[in-house]
Amino acid sequence: MPPLISDDAFEDDPRNKAAADYFLDVDTQLRPVISRLNGFKVQPGSAFAGDDEATRTGAISHQASALLSVAADNAHALRSVVVKAKVIPAFAGCSLTRNAIERAGVTLWLMGPPTRDTRVLHALQL
């Protein structure tokens, strides 16, 4: 499939340069976020460690870790598409961003309640 716009036409329009610079900035900002999502660990003695002990199957931390992994994978895919792709599908960025935000949001919904009973109930609902 040929590109939608020639390299010459792209380079001659300052708005395109600004958009490219914006996406490179997004890439720079996503790198530490992806690292933090991939480094999720439950601290011994924390409320979430207690949650894991209270739920023999489907531990809350395992669900949260899986959700954060999906969010990180989608953020990484977005980064790869934006920075490395020659042709970007029209809605690729939106789809990847939405999925990453949804998974991070579900993680907050799972881990956010102040009581163990509510967190365990959320884990069971997932």
Side-chain angles (χ1 to χ4, degrees), residues 35-83:
S35 293
R36 289 193 71 193
L37 291 175
N38 284 329
F40 172 78
K41 289 185 177 57
V42 174
Q43 298 298 315
S46 69
F48 297 117
D51 292 348
D52 286 351
E53 290 175 19
T55 53
R56 297 281 182 225
T57 59
I60 292 173
S61 67
H62 296 171
Q63 291 182 22
S65 179
L67 289 163
L68 289 174
S69 291
V70 171
D73 286 347
N74 279 272
H76 181 72
L78 174 64
R79 179 183 160 276
S80 296
V81 165
V82 166
V83 174

Side-chain angles (χ1 to χ4, degrees), residues 74-125:
N74 279 272
H76 181 72
L78 174 64
R79 179 183 160 276
S80 296
V81 165
V82 166
V83 174
K84 298 177 183 175
K86 296 277 187 197
V87 176
I88 300 174
F91 294 101
C94 295
S95 299
L96 293 166
T97 302
R98 178 181 175 177
N99 198 31
I101 291 169
E102 284 177 353
R103 297 302 149 245
V106 172
T107 304
L108 291 174
W109 172 80
L110 177 64
M111 297 174 67
T115 65
R116 173 164 296 136
D117 289 345
T118 305
R119 290 190 301 269
V120 170
L121 179 62
H122 284 186
L124 292 171
Q125 289 173 334

